[in-house]
Amino acid sequence: MTGLRSAIGFLTILPVAPRTGATGFVSARAWFPVVGMILGTVLVAAEIALESGYPLFNESHRPFPPLLSASILVAVLVVFTRALHLDGFMDCCDGLLGGFSRARRLEILRDPNVGAFAVTGVVCLLLLKLSAIVALPAKSGLWLLFLLPCLSRWAVLLTMEIFPYVREDGIGKPFMGRTSSLQRIFPLSVTLLSALIFAGAAGLVLMAVAGATAWGVGAWSSKLLGGVTGDVYGAAIEVAEVSVLISAVLLTHIFSPDIFASVLNLLNL
C-alpha cells in the first residue's frame, strides 16, 4: 500500500506522509483514480451538508443558495488538493502563453511570480467550474461530483504515459519510471467501472472527454517544450475537470438529465 499512501500524501491535504522510496511515487500513479474517489467523497459530503440547509438560522432547513453552494464546493476541492494542480495550471498559462522560445517558457514555468496570463486563466477556469456545477442537474449532479476527480486523475496518467518528461528534476520527476501492466490496467479498470456505476453509459463519454483533454494539454506542451513538466500535469487535471463538467451540462441540455442514469439511480439511491 506504499503507492496509495504516497498518492494520498502528494495529491491531497490529508495528513498522510508519502513514501518516497524507490517505488513510492512511481507505484503511486496506479492509485490516482482512487485518490480521486476520496476527493469525490469529500465533495459529495459537502454537497449533502449544503443541501441539508442551515437549521441554526431557520426552521425550514432551506438549502444554501445554488451559487453559494457551488462556490463552496469549488473552494473545498482547492483546499483539499492544496491548490497543487491550480498552481501548475497558472504556471502553464504564464509559461506556455507568455514565452516565445522553449528556453524562455521553461524559465517562466520555474518563476514563482504570477503574471497576467496566470491571473486571467485561473479566473476563467474557476468561473467555468462554478457555472457548470450550478448548471448540473440535481438528479445526477451528486454522482457527477463524485466521479469528477476520479476521471481527471486517471486522465493525467495518459499524459504521463504518452509524453516525455523534459526536466532533469522537478515536482513530476519522482513519478517517472517503468510501470507494470498491472499498474496501468488497475487505474483504467477502476475509472471505467466508476464511470459506468455512477454515470451510466454517458460516463464513458465523460471518461473519453477527460482523456482527450489531458492528451491535448500534453500534446500542446510537447509542441512548445518538447515534452511535459509537473506543471503540465496539474494543468491537465484542471482542464480535464472543466471539460468534464461542461460536457456533462451540455449532454443534459441536449438530451435529458436522465442520460446519466446510473446503477445507483436505478436502485433509487
Side-chain angles (χ1 to χ4, degrees), residues 60-176:
S60 60
H61 291 237
R62 290 179 298 170
F64 280 71
L67 187 58
L68 178 58
S69 293
S71 301
I72 293 173
L73 291 175
V74 170
V76 165
L77 189 56
V78 171
V79 169
F80 271 81
T81 57
R82 304 192 320 274
L84 177 67
H85 315 311
L86 208 57
D87 178 69
F89 171 81
M90 294 174 70
D91 287 342
C92 284
C93 287
D94 275 339
L96 300 184
L97 296 175
F100 295 98
S101 68
R102 178 181 182 274
R104 178 56 181 156
R105 292 181 184 113
L106 288 171
E107 181 183 351
I108 294 174
L109 285 172
R110 281 201 185 277
D111 191 341
N113 296 312
V114 174
F117 285 117
V119 174
T120 304
V122 76
V123 169
C124 292
L125 180 86
L126 294 176
L127 282 175
L128 286 171
K129 281 190 179 183
L130 177 64
S131 302
I133 291 175
V134 171
L136 284 176
K139 184 176 181 180
S140 54
L142 201 64
W143 304 120
L144 289 171
L145 286 175
F146 175 82
L147 190 60
L148 176 67
C150 176
L151 292 179
S152 59
R153 279 145 191 82
W154 165 77
V156 76
L157 296 179
L158 298 181
T159 309
M160 290 181 170
E161 290 285 348
I162 296 171
F163 303 102
Y165 194 80
V166 295
R167 294 195 188 279
E168 294 299 323
D169 55 4
I171 194 171
K173 184 64 176 180
F175 293 98
M176 297 299 98

Side-chain angles (χ1 to χ4, degrees), residues 66 69 93 114 141 165 191 217 220 223 227 249:
S69 293
C93 287
V114 174
Y165 194 80
T191 308
V217 172
W220 182 44
K223 181 179 180 180
V249 172

